[in-house]
Amino acid sequence: MRLSPDEIILWQHGPLKVNATIAYTWGLMLFLLAGARLATRGLRTGGERSDWQNLLEILVTGIEQQIRAVGLNPPRKYLGFLGTLFVFVATANLFTIVPGYTPPTSSLSTTAALALCVWTAVPAFGIAEQGVARYLKSYLEPTVIMLPFNVIGEFSRTLALAVRLFGNMMSGSMIVAILLTVTPFIFPVVMTSLGLLTGMVQAYIFSILAAVYIAAATGSGASVPQPDAAGRNPGK
Amino acid sequence: MLIDWFTVTAQALNFLILVWLLRRFAYQPVLQAISRREERIAAQLAAAASAEAAANTEREALSGRRLEFEQHRAALLDQATQEAAALRSKLLEQARQDGAAERSRLLAVLRAEQVELELTLAREVRQVVLEIVGKTLQDLAHVELNDAMVEVFLGHLQALGEAERLLLLTAATSANTPVVRSAFELAPDTRARIRTALAALGASDPDVHFETAVGLVCGIDFTAAGHRLAWSVGDYLAGLEEGIDRILEARCRTVPAEPASVPAAIT
């Protein structure tokens, strides 16, 4: 039994290879790109909009609200990274309803790559927001003694991100595969549905945790959204 | 080994490419569309707020004008009501006066017609009564009655005063022949007694002409030089008729004058 789609090698030339993880990821990228082009074709600024545009606007504004609720302002600055993180993981998990599909997120390599991106993005956004000195100083808070623990925390939470998503998705795929051999009717459907729910929850958790880490690094960190200048509550 | 570092690198690269692609083809267009819509909505809201402010100003102005109009209308209505009430009273008073005047005029006309009718009826009654009385007396009259009346006539001659006697004597002796008319043919002795009576007044051998006049009904009539002395039923009837006429004329004079003319129509 394969624990990871990395083991399915589709093409290899020396150290270069194309495995199922990369292939499915490309497929998802093409799907998302096509969907984006389809939804953004003929965008209207009036009252009447297409269903695709409505769907995309709901998705984008929903992600924006979640980012703002975490305390990252302005949210559009972080929308590209965090939004893509959620959309990619959610789409990858959503396609588990397609028979024969193995989500790239069930590969530890993929989740590790995403976690490394988050691990890299956190100091990048933190330094961009408050400078190198203040960002590095944050590792000494509340006391110098906490420095090693903070450094260990950086690595451990990155590892936790990768393993959490990988474990959930891999276990879901394994359970469905096992059930297909034991009881090929009903139960795999139920477990697939449960896997969908789990996949959505994991996508949300992964992206929200990434947002929280970035918020902590940028010094925002306020979980309670503040009203903007116009008096509107941005979290609502 | 669950981690393939080539795959990790490739997936990280894929993710970064996907970030760029979605930012380029999804997020930016949608966010720009949302921003343009928000700007347009904000502009519309601002325009709506401006229009609302203008509408509020206009509404307040219209409210003021309407209030002013209502007050003016109420004042006009009150004035019109007062004028109508005054005109109504005036017209009622005028109508009352006109009614009273018309009633008086109609009563006067009715009374005049009533009097006229009474006079006409009275004249007709008088005429009928006189005709009946005259006919009755004519039927009752006869020679003896006529002789008796001649006796009364002779008595009147003898009872004349001195002035009347001289006046009658002058007339009897004038150039014109005296005429004695009677309802019946007088007997010769009666004619002789008349001549004797005239002679007793002072006339010497008076030439008297005797005539028969049915209109006297009963009685005798002496006429000479415009003077007349008579005693007959016809004279009584004539006197009765004159008396009745005087009474009726007196009634006519008591008829009320013509009432005032009808007032002009109210305009």
Side-chain angles (χ1 to χ4, degrees):
Chain A
M1 176 177 287
R2 291 187 296 270
L3 292 177
S4 172
D6 293 355
E7 301 171 10
I8 305 173
I9 306 298
L10 302 176
W11 176 84
Q12 186 165 15
H13 180 71
L16 303 178
K17 59 184 176 183
V18 176
N19 53 29
T21 302
I22 297 174
Y24 282 132
T25 302
W26 287 349
L28 289 175
M29 291 170 66
L30 285 175
F31 173 78
L32 292 174
L33 183 62
R37 293 292 294 170
L38 181 67
T40 56
R41 185 178 57 186
L43 283 176
R44 296 177 182 175
T45 59
E48 294 183 356
R49 298 180 293 273
S50 65
D51 295 338
W52 288 105
Q53 183 178 348
N54 276 330
L55 179 64
L56 190 58
E57 287 189 9
I58 289 170
L59 182 64
V60 171
T61 53
I63 293 172
E64 202 176 27
Q65 287 177 1
Q66 289 298 321
I67 294 172
R68 186 184 290 112
V70 170
L72 291 171
N73 280 308
R76 292 188 179 183
K77 180 179 178 181
Y78 310 94
L79 179 64
F81 181 76
L82 294 174
T84 305
L85 204 58
F86 173 77
V87 169
F88 175 70
V89 175
T91 309
N93 298 342
L94 191 65
F95 268 81
T96 54
I97 60 173
V98 178
Y101 168 82
T102 302
T105 48
S106 64
S107 163
L108 186 59
S109 300
T110 304
T111 56
L114 296 178
L116 286 174
C117 288
V118 172
W119 181 75
T120 307
V122 168
F125 282 118
I127 292 171
E129 188 67 26
Q130 52 185 357
V132 179
R134 283 189 62 187
Y135 174 72
L136 293 177
K137 189 181 176 184
S138 66
Y139 284 98
L140 303 177
E141 292 176 352
T143 63
V144 180
I145 301 173
M146 294 301 292
L147 175 62
F149 299 103
N150 286 331
V151 173
I152 292 172
E154 284 290 324
F155 286 102
S156 64
R157 71 188 187 187
T158 304
L159 181 64
L161 271 180
V163 173
R164 183 189 301 110
L165 180 60
F166 164 70
N168 277 282
M169 299 315 299
M170 184 270 289
S171 63
S173 300
M174 294 297 291
I175 288 172
V176 171
I178 293 170
L179 285 176
L180 277 173
T181 59
V182 178
T183 55
F185 301 105
I186 308 299
F187 277 109
V189 176
V190 175
M191 292 310 295
T192 302
S193 303
L194 186 61
L196 279 178
L197 177 64
T198 306
M200 291 297 108
V201 171
Q202 287 305 315
Y204 180 75
I205 288 173
F206 197 97
S207 53
I208 281 293
L209 283 176
V212 169
Y213 297 157
I214 293 172
T218 56
S220 303
S223 59
V224 179
Q226 299 297 318
D228 57 13
R232 292 174 299 185
N233 191 339
K236 300 293 177 64
Chain B
M1 183 64 178
L2 290 176
I3 295 181
D4 179 11
W5 290 107
F6 174 78
T7 306
V8 170
T9 307
Q11 288 294 79
L13 190 61
N14 286 336
F15 176 73
L16 295 177
I17 293 171
L18 184 62
V19 169
W20 181 83
L21 289 175
L22 289 184
R23 180 180 290 175
R24 170 70 177 79
F25 295 107
Y27 302 140
Q28 284 183 355
V30 170
L31 291 176
Q32 287 176 357
I34 291 173
S35 297
R36 282 196 295 270
R37 185 185 304 125
E38 287 178 349
E39 290 174 358
R40 190 172 56 82
I41 291 173
Q44 290 177 346
L45 287 176
S50 176
E52 185 181 5
N56 285 334
T57 305
E58 185 70 16
R59 186 187 62 185
E60 291 176 357
L62 288 176
S63 297
R65 289 171 58 186
R66 190 183 65 180
L67 183 61
E68 183 181 352
F69 173 74
E70 290 289 338
Q71 292 175 348
H72 183 62
R73 189 174 71 94
L76 286 178
L77 184 62
D78 187 47
Q79 181 182 358
T81 303
Q82 292 178 357
E83 290 179 357
L87 182 61
R88 178 176 177 274
S89 301
K90 180 181 177 183
L91 290 177
L92 283 175
E93 183 62 26
Q94 186 70 37
R96 196 175 292 114
Q97 292 177 359
D98 293 346
E102 184 67 13
R103 181 173 176 274
S104 299
R105 190 184 67 80
L106 291 176
L107 284 175
V109 170
L110 182 63
R111 190 173 300 148
E113 289 180 353
Q114 184 179 1
V115 171
E116 183 66 26
L117 183 62
E118 289 176 357
L119 286 175
T120 304
L121 185 62
R123 287 192 181 99
E124 290 179 355
V125 169
R126 179 207 65 182
Q127 191 63 30
V128 171
V129 168
L130 288 177
E131 288 177 357
I132 291 173
V133 170
K135 186 71 170 60
T136 303
L137 291 175
Q138 200 167 17
D139 291 344
L140 292 175
H142 46 81
V143 177
E144 288 77 10
L145 180 58
N146 194 67
D147 291 343
M149 294 188 73
V150 171
E151 288 298 330
V152 175
F153 175 71
L154 292 175
H156 283 177
L157 283 178
Q158 292 172 359
L160 284 176
E162 183 61 23
E164 291 174 342
R165 187 186 65 80
L166 290 176
L167 190 61
L168 189 60
L169 179 60
T170 303
T173 56
S174 66
N176 296 325
T177 303
V179 177
V180 175
R181 290 180 296 180
S182 61
F184 300 93
E185 183 70 24
L186 295 176
D189 58 334
T190 303
R191 293 183 180 184
R193 290 179 62 196
I194 291 173
R195 286 191 181 92
T196 304
L198 290 174
L201 290 176
S204 59
D205 193 13
D207 183 14
V208 179
H209 178 69
F210 292 93
E211 291 180 357
T212 302
V214 180
L216 294 178
V217 181
C218 184
I220 190 168
D221 180 5
F222 174 78
T223 304
H227 294 279
R228 181 170 176 269
L229 181 61
W231 193 80
S232 66
V233 174
D235 287 341
Y236 279 120
L237 289 177
L240 177 60
E241 186 174 0
E242 289 177 359
I244 292 173
D245 286 340
R246 278 197 303 275
I247 293 172
L248 292 179
E249 290 300 326
R251 277 295 296 275
C252 286
R253 283 194 295 273
T254 59
V255 172
E258 190 69 16
S261 60
V262 178
I266 299 169
T267 58

